[in-house]
């Protein structure tokens, strides 16, 4: 350590005073003090599928920011804990991050109940929370949440892309079946879709199933009996694959078939040739053309030797959003909160913009379709021919 | 009429797999009075083993069934010797919590080893079979046939093989069986290995028609317990009948009402049976 | 002589419980962080739940898997009552009463069942309640229900300390009353107890209802803390497992067992979360396994045994003056 000289002390007190007035932190010791951000990830437990990709993206973002000297000369420090896919754990985690670790904001957890639990803690402690992969908008409908923001396209629009395509292509096919899980996000998506479907002249049958169900044969039977022509499945991944297989086994061939998460995961491995023509919806695809996107994909590939998934993109985007807030408003929690509530922020997911309730209005989904073994973006103004009707199951 | 037949066929597929998962549970409870909360994790073991086999060697998943069975049997033997054997004579809660703790450890291990990613494969039987207006996929039919085969083989072992008779003697009266010269420790080892082998084989079939995750077996356990309790704790035939019955009830109820109501109906049916026959359908009317 | 000594132990236990609870209650105002307060809250929560379970299953040996569901019923009841405008104390009372009533359903149908069958009946009760609550429209369906305002955290904190302390004191007292003796006789040999004139069924039922009321009160306070309830979370089987793991680790049937169990559970999980993220669930499972296999009857009893060994006292003379 340097010896302290009278001149040194005078100099650093002047700069400290100036720093206090201006809000920057140019002194050597203040510059090293990191800006702490907290993150909750489902590393273990039922929702542990994509936490790894989220973690990678956070790390990449932190490295990017710190490589440029941090924000206002202060490096970012990301503290990640495991919420065990358990809301009670999430609550303690929030307190640990806020109180013990001094995080100025929290980048939110994966599932709805945990987001809800941590949002409650955030409201009590008055700490901004960015629900970086929270697609369930109903959390913001249930209660007034001032400090939490949805940073992912809302699940209400899960069926939007598919219905749009149906409007253009359906022709004589008028019977729509919506399969939904009896959980808030899926129910609200179903309600929105049923309304929209009626507007475009389709008749709607909705079939709900119990979360965790593996057997959809009765639902398939009911669709067969009703003569459904268009089928849209708004549930989680495993049930979607089960439903698809059971439809194929029953020999039930709808004119068009959509399951919201078909762009995810192992669809090609699981369904093989049967994936052909299946629609999906995506919050983000690496092929989406935008300069920010291109840079992100290149960085990610260079770092991890892999094309990023939407989980990574969402995490990176959350980082960009909070970065914009801190850049603009410093580390005051209330100021960050106001900034997030009112601003349009560009990120790899698109334009972040929330409504008065805190729900995401800027980010939207695009429709996708499996074509010749590749998941292609077919919505959002992209001019790509659509396979219609769906080829018969093999 | 075709609809009814179709619903029955659907119910049999679900019931068949449920039967195979529950068979092992009924077996160890009957013989050792052990409630194995970790049963689901052995199902997961079989599922992952088959997935890895298919994904790496690109062979038919049907080869995974005997592989999973063998793997499960070995795992079961190890677990029985190392852990379960230590709990003989302890109160039921202790044994139950031991297996529960095991299940947590196993779940943690699977999550660490494989992460939460979904895994699946398309190899295996494809296409459908239509018979008298009823359509059933070859994959599901394979599952049903294998379940029946393994279930039948287990019943045969219990009825005819010496070890099976020994196990039934143990189930009836432990001390009397021991004094008849039956090697209790070896019999229990066999029972546990067989039970876990069956669970792993069931896991192999689960991987054929579902997606594989560290939690995949865990999700079957509660339903398997319903089957075992309904059938009569410890009765293998009871478990088989209960499984088929529940599969059929679920198929019809979820067609007429909906999926959640079907589950409610199943539980109410269980409670109704327990009210009238606390020992279950084929259980023994003692303590 | 032994009886007054036992009464003294009970009195000492009650005073100690009250003192510790008061100290914990004062801590937030003595400058302790919100994080630590939250940890203490969860300690009290698991303790209260554990004692509720202990009162029924620890004493009678009838293992219940329903206590998580019972707590959930309490949570729903308190939120419904509060949203309907009832004052806090009345809402809590309603929650305990509603839960006790619900427990009658299990009690009347399942207490005839022996051992493991009873345990499974309670396990399935959990599932059934979840399914039914998700179907009932007036309790919010799958979306659950919310408390109209988010209460400040110190309120449920104090309430939970109260419930936990009260339940512990109840356990301390009940073992030393005549009712307590009857219950212990039940656990030893139910048939003999019946023959001796103890109405086993009625006793079990009463115990179960009281146990459920406590679980309901616990769940209600937690409902106030969480302020937003999802049925899939509130009625998950995990809470029932905690309700029995905590007493089991510490020592079922004793009043101090759940205290030790709850403390260990919260501390171990917290430490592991920080130092071994990702591995901690596995390690918790291993710890549980080791405790069950090697520390028979729980930590408290094992410790007591070890201490008695050190003092070289035969257990029967443990109460009373040391021989020279």
């Amino acid at each position: 350590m340097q010896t302290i000289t009278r001149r040194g002390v005078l100099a650093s007190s002047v700069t400290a005073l100036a720093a206090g007035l201006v809000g920057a932190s140019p002194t050597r010791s203040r510059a090293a003090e990191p800006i702490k951000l907290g993150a909750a990830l489902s590393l273990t437990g039922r929702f542990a599928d994509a936490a790894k990709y989220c973690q990678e993206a956070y790390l990449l973002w932190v490295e990017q920011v710190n490589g440029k000297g941090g924000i206002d000369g202060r490096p970012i420090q990301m503290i990640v804990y495991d919420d065990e896919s358990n809301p009670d754990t999430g609550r303690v985690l929030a307190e640990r991050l806020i109180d013990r670790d001094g995080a100025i904001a929290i980048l939110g957890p994966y599932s709805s109940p945990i987001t809800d639990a941590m949002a409650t803690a955030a409201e009590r402690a008055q700490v901004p929370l960015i629900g970086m992969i929270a697609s369930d908008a109903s959390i913001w409908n249930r209660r007034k949440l001032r400090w939490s923001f949805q940073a992912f396209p809302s699940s209400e629009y899960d069926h939007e892309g598919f219905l749009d395509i149906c409007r253009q292509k359906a022709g004589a096919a008028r019977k729509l079946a919506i399969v939904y899980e009896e959980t808030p996000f899926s129910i609200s998506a179903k309600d929105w879709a049923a309304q929209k479907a009626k507007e475009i002249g389709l008749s709607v049958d909705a079939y709900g199933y119990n979360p965790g169900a593996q057997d959809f044969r009765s639902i398939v039977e009911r669709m067969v009996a009703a003569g459904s022509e268009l089928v849209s499945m708004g549930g989680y991944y495993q049930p979607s694959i089960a439903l698809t297989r059971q439809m194929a086994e029953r020999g039930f061939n709808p004119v068009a078939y959509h399951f919201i998460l078909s762009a995810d995961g192992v669809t090609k491995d699981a369904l093989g040739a049967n994936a052909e023509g299946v629609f999906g919806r995506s919050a983000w695809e690496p092929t989406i053309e935008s300069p920010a996107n291109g840079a992100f994909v290149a960085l990610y590939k260079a770092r991890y030797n892999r094309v990023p998934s939407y989980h990574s993109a969402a995490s990176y985007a959350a980082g960009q959003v909070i970065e914009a807030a801190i850049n603009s408003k410093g580390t005051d929690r209330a100021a960050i909160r106001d900034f997030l509530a009112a601003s349009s922020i560009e990120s790899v997911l698109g334009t972040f913009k929330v409504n008065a309730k805190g729900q995401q209005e800027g980010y939207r989904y695009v429709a996708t379709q499996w074509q010749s073994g590749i998941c292609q973006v077919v919505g959002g103004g992209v001019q790509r021919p659509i396979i219609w009707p769906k080829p018969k199951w093999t | 009429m075709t609809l009814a037949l179709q619903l029955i066929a659907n119910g049999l597929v679900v019931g068949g797999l449920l039967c195979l998962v529950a068979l092992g549970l009924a077996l160890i409870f009957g013989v050792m009075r052990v409630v194995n909360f970790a049963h689901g994790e052995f199902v997961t073991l079989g599922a992952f083993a088959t997935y890895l086999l298919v994904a790496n060697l690109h062979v038919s998943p049907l080869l995974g069934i005997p592989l999973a069975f063998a793997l499960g049997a070995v795992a079961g033997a190890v677990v029985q010797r190392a852990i379960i054997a230590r709990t003989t004579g302890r109160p039921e809660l202790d044994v139950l919590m031991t297996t529960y703790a095991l299940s947590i450890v196993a779940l943690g291990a699977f999550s660490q080893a494989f992460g939460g990613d979904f895994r699946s494969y398309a190899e295996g039987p494809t296409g459908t079979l239509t018979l008298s207006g009823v359509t059933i996929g070859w994959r599901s039919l394979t599952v049903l046939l294998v379940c029946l085969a393994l279930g039948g083989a287990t019943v045969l072992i219990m009825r005819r093989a010496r070890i099976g008779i020994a196990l039934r003697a143990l189930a009836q009266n432990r001390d009397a069986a021991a004094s008849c010269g039956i090697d209790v420790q070896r019999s229990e080892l066999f029972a546990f290995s067989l039970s876990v082998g069956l669970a792993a084989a069931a896991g192999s079939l689960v991987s054929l028609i579902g997606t594989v995750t560290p939690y995949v077996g865990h999700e079957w356990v509660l339903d398997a317990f319903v089957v075992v309790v309904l059938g009569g704790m410890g009765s293998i035939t009871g478990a088989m009948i209960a499984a088929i019955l529940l599969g059929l009830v679920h198929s019809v109820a979820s067609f007429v009402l909906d999926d959640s109501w079907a589950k409610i109906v199943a539980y109410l049916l269980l409670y109704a049976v327990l009210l009238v026959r606390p020992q279950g359908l084929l259980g023994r009317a003692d303590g | 002589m032994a009886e007054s000594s036992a009464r003294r132990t009970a009195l000492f236990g009650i005073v100690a419980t009250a003192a510790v609870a008061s100290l914990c209650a004062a801590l937030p105002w003595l400058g302790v962080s919100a994080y630590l307060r939250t940890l203490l809250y969860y300690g009290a929560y698991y303790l209260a739940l554990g004692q509720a379970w202990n009162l029924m299953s620890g004493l009678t040996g009838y293992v219940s898997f329903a206590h998580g569901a019972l707590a959930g019923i309490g949570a729903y009841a308190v939120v419904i009552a509060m949203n309907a405008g009832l004052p806090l104390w009345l809402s809590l009372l309603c929650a305990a009463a509603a839960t006790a009533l619900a427990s009658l359903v299990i009690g009347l149908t399942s207490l005839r069942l022996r051992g493991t069958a009873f345990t499974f009946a309670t396990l399935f009760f959990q599932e059934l309640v979840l399914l039914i609550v998700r179907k009932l429209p007036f309790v919010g369906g799958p979306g659950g229900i919310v408390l109209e305002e988010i209460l400040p955290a110190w309120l449920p904190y104090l309430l939970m300390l109260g419930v936990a302390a009260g339940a512990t004191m109840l356990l301390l007292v009940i073992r030393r009353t005549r009712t307590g003796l009857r219950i212990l006789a039940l656990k030893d040999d139910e048939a003999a107890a019946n023959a001796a004139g103890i109405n086993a069924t009625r006793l079990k039922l009463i115990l179960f209802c009281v146990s459920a009321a406590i679980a309901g009160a616990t769940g209600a306070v937690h409902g106030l803390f969480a302020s937003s309830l999802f049925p899939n979370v509130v009625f998950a089987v995990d809470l029932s497992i905690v309700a029995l793991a905590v007493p089991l680790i510490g020592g079922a049937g004793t009043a101090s067992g759940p205290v030790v169990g709850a403390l260990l559970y919260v501390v171990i999980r917290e430490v592991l979360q920080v130092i071994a993220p990702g591995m901690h669930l596995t390690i918790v499972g291993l710890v549980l396994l080791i405790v069950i296999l090697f520390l028979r009857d729980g930590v408290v009893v094992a410790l007591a045994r070890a201490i008695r060994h050190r003092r070289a006292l035969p257990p029967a003379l443990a109460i009373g003056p040391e021989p020279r």
Side-chain angles (χ1 to χ4, degrees), chain C residues 10-23:
Chain C
L11 197 60
F12 173 72
I14 291 177
V15 170
T17 308
V20 171
S22 309
L23 179 63

Side-chain angles (χ1 to χ4, degrees), chain A residues 258-273:
Chain A
H258 166 249
F259 71 88
I260 60 176
L261 296 174
S262 76
D264 266 40
V266 295
T267 308
K268 197 166 54 161
D269 293 336
L271 300 179

